Amino acid sequence: MAASLPACRSRDEGDLAVQLSHCSSTSMPMLTSPIGRGGSPDDIARVALFCASDLSNFMTGSTLLADGGTTA
């Protein structure tokens, strides 16, 4: 079952990313974190890049949270 988002046009694709792409920026509430802004795709890409790089070669079984401090 697809998640429903308020104030967004409903679509039957079932994929949350597809559902979000059909939402206008004025219909979605701004989600902020303790650092004072919402996350961006670039924020997540930097974490993924770190995980794929040699900088993370000593890490095993770790969970990295890229949530702007929401769970801190």
Side-chain angles (χ1 to χ4, degrees), residues 16-40:
L16 183 58
V18 172
Q19 289 181 19
L20 288 173
S21 70
H22 295 291
C23 297
S24 70
S25 60
T26 58
S27 68
M28 291 293 292
M30 180 59 183
L31 303 175
T32 58
S33 64
I35 64 170
R37 64 177 181 83
S40 70

Side-chain angles (χ1 to χ4, degrees), residues 49-67:
L49 181 62
F50 168 76
C51 291
S53 75
D54 286 338
L55 294 173
S56 66
N57 66 0
F58 198 66
M59 295 179 66
T60 60
S62 299
T63 302
L64 296 177
L65 300 174
D67 64 359

